[in-house]
Amino acid sequence: MVGVLANGPGPFVLLRADMDALPVRESTGLSYASADTSASGEPVMHACGHDVHVVCLLGAVALLARARDEWSGTLVAVFQPAEETADGAHAMLDDGLASLVGRVDVAMAQHVLPLPAGTVSTRVGPTLAAADSLRIVVHGRGAHGSMPQAAVDPVVLAAMIVVRLQTVVAREVAPGDTAVLTVGSIQAGTKSNVIPDQAVVLLNVRTYDERTRSSVLDAIERIVRAECVASGSPRDPEVQVFDRYPLTDNDADVTDRVAAAFTAHFGERGGVLAQQSASEDFSDIPVGLGVPYTYWGIGGIDPETYRVADEAGRVAQDIPVNHSATFAPVIQPTLDTGTEALVVAALAWLGRA
Ligand code: ZN
Ligand code: ZN
């Protein structure tokens, strides 16, 4: 869904909010908690806080629409579906977003994070990780569990792959570079005395530059193929990459301009965002449109709750993070801060001097 608010000559500013939810059963106990199930029967919850993003962008558009005398230019509000499946931004581009909005000079987006509510934080350069998920099927030869000589055991093969993959980050990525490689699922077999004929490994990779990204993905494929050879696997493995998220690499000039506007408006509530290992498909939109962009974080945790956890050194344990069934951004000052942040950032381009 795209709204265009044309208000005279000037820059074209695109603000984007993602709208989708997650198949998580909400356990916040809030009166406005998500319904138990969606139409498809799966649990559903705004566990990533995208409902916050939608409300803030609606609020920002309403404020700017009411104050047309204060600015000049065009505001493009993009409400994007399917961020969590990494294909919503691309789908909007494929559906003709570029021709729909015409010109765009700068694109911006924000995310509510497990940081103190009322704060906004920006970062220049790589800010959110690129992400790649892989589904790997390795083949063995099934047999009776008592007759291993008749088998090529895919359980052992998959186990060797998992162990060897631990060396990719430890031994192949330069100490100054960052990468995360997690094997999130390994599945094989049905019974203690049956050697199965295949194993399926699901893994997830996070990186912050394309060189590291491609070298890690190459290393995974090399190791998988080599372990299959080492085991005498009867068939080549199948390696499928899915849920690919682009790197979010904030433009320095755009970010500096937004950060200066935040400092002027928010004072000490503005800060620097730490590099995040989460991922986003927002940058597909500005990259697809060929325009610079920035992406910032807003806090969603009650400041006093956060302070207590921080002083006890227990933020990681006590503060629910995005995608948790108990993630519950406080309504205020989260919504006011996110709404103001969008308005302030947009006015950094659209405001009358
Ligand atoms: Zn999410
Ligand atoms: Zn999200």
Side-chain angles (χ1 to χ4, degrees):
M1 198 168 68
V2 179
V4 178
L5 186 54
N7 189 34
F12 283 60
V13 174
L14 184 152
L15 300 177
R16 172 274 207 177
D18 43 1
M19 306 190 289
D20 55 329
L22 286 159
V24 173
R25 194 171 306 284
E26 179 155 354
S27 60
T28 59
L30 292 167
S31 61
Y32 53 88
S34 303
D36 261 5
T37 48
S38 64
S40 68
E42 279 189 313
V44 63
M45 174 185 175
H46 265 301
C48 205
H50 297 182
D51 47 351
V52 170
H53 306 166
V54 169
V55 171
C56 291
L57 183 51
L58 287 171
V61 171
L63 286 172
L64 288 164
R66 245 184 269 159
R68 288 172 196 248
D69 293 347
E70 306 296 323
W71 60 281
S72 186
T74 299
L75 179 74
V76 179
V78 172
F79 296 88
Q80 183 209 302
E83 184 281 324
E84 298 288 359
T85 49
D87 52 6
H90 254 300
M92 293 192 86
L93 290 167
D94 291 346
D95 284 351
L97 179 67
S99 55
L100 189 66
V101 300
R103 179 182 141 201
V104 173
D105 296 308
V106 63
M108 297 181 279
Q110 63 183 2
H111 208 295
V112 61
L113 296 171
L115 296 170
T119 63
V120 284
S121 30
T122 58
R123 182 178 190 86
V124 171
T127 298
L128 302 178
D132 301 278
S133 286
L134 285 85
R135 182 176 189 272
I136 297 165
V137 181
V138 294
H139 299 282
R141 188 164 56 245
H144 196 291
S146 69
M147 303 173 201
Q149 75 280 10
V152 171
D153 189 340
V155 174
V156 176
L157 166 54
M160 292 301 186
I161 288 172
V162 172
V163 171
R164 180 104 197 167
L165 285 177
Q166 307 309 309
T167 67
V168 173
V169 175
R171 302 289 82 189
E172 299 193 38
V173 174
D177 294 338
T178 304
V180 182
L181 194 171
T182 292
V183 178
S185 170
I186 170 167
Q187 293 181 0
T190 54
K191 201 170 183 300
S192 63
N193 66 347
V194 177
I195 297 171
D197 59 8
Q198 71 168 40
V200 180
V201 179
L202 300 179
L203 57 91
N204 185 261
V205 175
R206 308 272 163 154
T207 50
Y208 294 95
D209 66 74
E210 289 300 331
R211 191 176 40 82
T212 307
R213 183 183 203 175
S214 60
S215 76
V216 167
L217 294 176
D218 288 350
I220 291 167
E221 180 138 3
R222 187 193 76 232
I223 286 168
V224 167
R225 291 191 182 281
E227 288 293 347
C228 286
V229 172
S231 286
S233 177
R235 271 169 60 195
D236 283 346
E238 286 126 45
V239 179
Q240 176 201 355
V241 185
F242 64 101
D243 281 3
R244 305 196 77 178
Y245 284 89
L247 181 70
T248 302
D249 189 2
N250 283 337
D251 180 83
D253 291 341
V254 171
T255 309
D256 287 346
R257 192 159 166 176
V258 168
F262 284 173
T263 301
H265 180 78
F266 292 108
E268 287 184 353
R269 289 157 61 203
V272 174
L273 183 65
Q275 199 170 53
Q276 305 286 308
S277 54
S279 304
E280 255 283 353
D281 73 344
F282 158 68
S283 68
D284 280 340
I285 291 176
V287 169
L289 298 176
V291 300
Y293 64 90
T294 197
Y295 184 94
W296 64 85
I298 61 170
I301 306 301
D302 173 64
E304 181 59 15
T305 305
Y306 191 94
R307 189 190 62 77
V308 170
D310 197 23
E311 281 183 11
R314 292 189 52 84
V315 169
Q317 294 84 355
D318 294 351
I319 302 295
V321 298
N322 305 66
H323 290 205
S324 144
T326 54
F327 184 62
V330 291
I331 292 178
Q332 294 298 5
T334 307
L335 295 185
D336 280 353
T337 305
T339 305
E340 288 170 32
L342 290 169
V343 170
V344 166
L347 289 178
W349 276 264
L350 302 174
R352 292 199 194 281

